[in-house]
Amino acid sequence: MKRLLAIAEILVIVVIAIAPLFAVFPYRINIFLSWEGAYRMSTGQLPYKDFGIPLGYMYWVIPAAFFKIFGPQLITLVKAQAFINLLSGFAFLSIAKSLKIQPGLRFLGVLLFSLSYTFLNYWPWYNHTVIVFELIGIAFLLKYITSSQSRKQMLWLIPAGMFLFFSFFTKQDGGALGFLICLALLGYSALTEKKWLPVFVFAGAAVVTALAMILPFTGHNFGYWFNHGQPPHTSRVSAKDFVQEFMNGSMWLKFYLFIIALLLMVTIKNWKEYWRNKSEMIFTLLTLGILAEAAIFQVTSYVPADNNIFYHSFAFIFIFTVLARFLPIDWNQRKYIIVGALGVMMWWSHMVWKYFERFVFKGGGTPVASTVYNGIEYPNVVNRNTYILSLDTTDVPLSQWRVPNLKTFEKILVPGPTVDGIERLMANPVIKKQDLKVLNMSELTTLAAEIPYSLETGDYYPLWFHQGVGMFDKQTDMFVDRINKKHYDLVLYEYIPYANNFYPFRVREALLKGYKQIDVFPAVRKPSSNSWIEVYVKE
């Protein structure tokens, strides 16, 4: 049975990680950022020297490597993410093995982790990659802590420190929180084992990795770009935001904390004995640390809204490990594994049901008569699907999305009107101009691989254009000045009125005054009805 479960764990991790490789995807908002950073690095450009970013560059390393192997198509990002998901799945499996979770329960934890966290993330995003590097670092750390802790075993602490810095150099908040969790685990181990050298080995590995990755860029405005709360950056740490988010939401986090508190009250008869029980303490500290990180991470890294759900699997295996001591449950028995697997799949059925629903309900039900009033069609039957209608008739339904005839958009669906706009742009004589100078302030960053123009570079030049996040007044002034001087032959500007300076509005104002708008079409996002890509050329 154990061998069968070990095979099943690997199959779950691999199948769910690579399943997206066989699908066609609608364009994902914000993926332009992943593409351009990976594209620039794959062509030999260096962060901070050739383009500025407010975080570390580790997020783009794996996608850039995949661009070198498979080419700079958007679908290559999905391939890179499949690899990242494999890393995360096996890191979680390694952590569960180090914690000596019963094989049956460990399989359920892997299934839950894959359904709740892996399946959701089929595009790379730094708020996911930061957690993956952290989990890998924790997996290496636990290899040491749960071992005999010999000098030879201490070597595990070197990759642990390296990957925790990789995590920090992917996204500061998640990496710092992961580092604190590791220090708490190592600190407890040092106190109980009276061995402090491992703490210094781990920290030393992180510091040496940091120096190797930062020092080459200190002469290229690294201190300006890398956000540690200094001006012109702003801090996202707010006690008020943490409390409000936790009290107004965080339902699962609060539920897990409540159940864990009850279980610990029943389990802990003597605090000193529990403190000396190393395996119990490590498991408890790790679980509570992951829950605390998730509570903070949902505030400091809020895109996408559910990027902190990595905590479910840790809480799940902890709660059911402790419950098994009080209930007659043997997680190695087939019946409990089957019921547990069905329960996990029903619990997270919403993650996969949307992909099968259209095949189950092919007919769409009995046609319903309707009444037209003021140009709007109202069904004569009122139910949960018809009592509120979307009056946004300008948005493009997914059925009208199609794949553009461009190599970089292979297997990627885009709104039909957006495709029409791209085709008009590609047919415009302006793109044939020698030494074409382009400012592409849109999500169509992949055009850099389709139109023969060189990406602008410099340690002053931002990778992306979100005012107050990816660039600041200094960069906005630079673009406005260049527009006033007619520096660019072609400008693409994405106008998103509802997004706070996602592309600086001052740039658009300068374009409206000094450039000629020759086209406008819906942006490559959903909904596509309230954002537009405007095409400008010199007067």
Side-chain angles (χ1 to χ4, degrees), residues 302-323:
Y302 43 80
V303 178
D306 50 4
N307 64 11
N308 71 330
I309 58 174
F310 52 86
Y311 64 85
H312 284 287
S313 303
F314 289 91
F316 176 83
I317 60 175
F318 182 88
I319 289 171
F320 280 95
T321 294
V322 178
L323 276 177

Side-chain angles (χ1 to χ4, degrees), residues 45-52 216-217 220-221 225 457-461:
Q45 292 188 24
L46 296 175
Y48 316 113
K49 177 179 181 293
D50 296 309
F51 58 91
F217 301 100
H220 299 289
N221 279 339
W225 282 111
T457 62
D459 58 10
Y460 53 84
Y461 198 90

Side-chain angles (χ1 to χ4, degrees), residues 294-506:
I296 297 170
F297 194 66
Q298 66 185 345
V299 176
T300 59
S301 295
Y302 43 80
V303 178
D306 50 4
N307 64 11
N308 71 330
I309 58 174
F310 52 86
Y311 64 85
H312 284 287
S313 303
F314 289 91
F316 176 83
I317 60 175
F318 182 88
I319 289 171
F320 280 95
T321 294
V322 178
L323 276 177
R325 299 169 189 161
F326 304 100
L327 300 175
I329 298 177
D330 182 359
W331 286 113
N332 292 323
Q333 290 188 24
R334 190 185 304 270
K335 62 180 180 180
Y336 292 116
I337 296 171
I338 293 173
V339 172
L342 290 174
V344 168
M345 289 189 288
M346 287 297 294
W347 179 18
W348 289 90
S349 62
H350 63 284
M351 299 299 293
V352 295
W353 173 247
K354 57 187 174 183
Y355 297 103
F356 295 97
E357 183 179 12
R358 54 184 170 176
F359 300 109
V360 176
F361 301 111
K362 288 182 180 179
T366 304
V368 176
S370 59
T371 302
V372 177
Y373 174 74
N374 200 24
I376 301 173
E377 187 176 358
Y378 294 88
N380 291 343
V381 174
V382 178
N383 56 35
R384 69 184 303 273
N385 298 314
T386 63
Y387 85 104
I388 293 291
L389 300 182
S390 173
L391 301 185
D392 187 0
T393 58
T394 60
D395 193 22
V396 182
L398 195 58
S399 61
Q400 296 178 21
W401 288 40
R402 65 183 195 268
V403 178
N405 188 27
L406 294 173
K407 180 67 174 175
T408 53
F409 279 92
E410 176 187 348
K411 297 179 70 175
I412 304 298
L413 294 168
V414 174
T418 308
V419 178
D420 296 337
I422 294 173
E423 291 175 349
R424 290 194 300 271
L425 175 64
M426 297 302 293
N428 194 302
V430 70
I431 70 169
K432 308 297 184 185
K433 185 179 183 296
Q434 291 291 323
D435 299 322
L436 183 68
K437 291 183 175 61
V438 177
L439 174 60
N440 189 351
M441 274 197 179
S442 78
E443 292 178 273
L444 297 178
T445 53
T446 59
L447 292 177
E450 304 284 356
I451 299 175
Y453 72 88
S454 298
L455 291 169
E456 293 186 289
T457 62
D459 58 10
Y460 53 84
Y461 198 90
L463 178 62
W464 77 98
F465 306 105
H466 193 173
Q467 178 87 25
V469 179
M471 60 179 275
F472 307 96
D473 287 338
K474 178 179 179 179
Q475 286 72 41
T476 302
D477 292 339
M478 176 190 71
F479 288 122
V480 169
D481 181 64
R482 290 185 177 184
I483 289 168
N484 291 337
K485 293 177 179 178
K486 302 294 192 297
H487 175 75
Y488 299 106
D489 302 301
L490 172 68
V491 178
L492 301 181
Y493 179 89
E494 187 164 334
Y495 181 43
I496 314 176
Y498 60 86
N500 184 6
N501 275 292
F502 195 79
Y503 296 101
F505 298 134
R506 279 209 294 135

Side-chain angles (χ1 to χ4, degrees), residues 41-160:
M41 289 177 64
S42 70
T43 58
Q45 292 188 24
L46 296 175
Y48 316 113
K49 177 179 181 293
D50 296 309
F51 58 91
I53 48 176
L55 36 86
Y57 53 79
M58 280 304 299
Y59 164 55
W60 289 278
V61 168
I62 294 176
F66 272 68
F67 274 16
K68 294 291 286 186
I69 299 170
F70 299 104
Q73 295 82 36
L74 282 167
I75 197 66
T76 301
L77 294 174
V78 178
K79 297 175 183 178
Q81 183 61 26
F83 176 72
I84 293 171
N85 284 337
L86 287 172
L87 293 178
S88 68
F90 285 111
F92 179 81
L93 176 58
S94 175
I95 290 170
K97 286 182 176 180
S98 293
L99 294 172
K100 296 179 173 56
I101 306 302
Q102 286 187 344
L105 182 58
R106 190 180 69 212
F107 166 74
L108 297 180
V110 168
L111 178 62
L112 174 57
F113 182 86
S114 298
L115 286 176
S116 65
Y117 195 56
T118 299
F119 194 76
L120 176 70
N121 292 286
Y122 50 84
W123 287 103
W125 191 239
Y126 47 64
N127 288 334
H128 175 263
T129 306
V130 60
I131 302 301
V132 175
F133 284 142
E134 174 191 340
L135 293 180
I136 296 172
I138 291 175
F140 281 122
L141 184 79
L142 291 180
K143 284 283 189 181
Y144 167 75
I145 290 179
T146 59
S147 70
S148 60
Q149 296 195 3
S150 65
R151 288 297 180 100
K152 184 178 179 181
Q153 294 290 341
M154 203 178 295
L155 293 175
W156 289 116
L157 296 174
I158 296 175

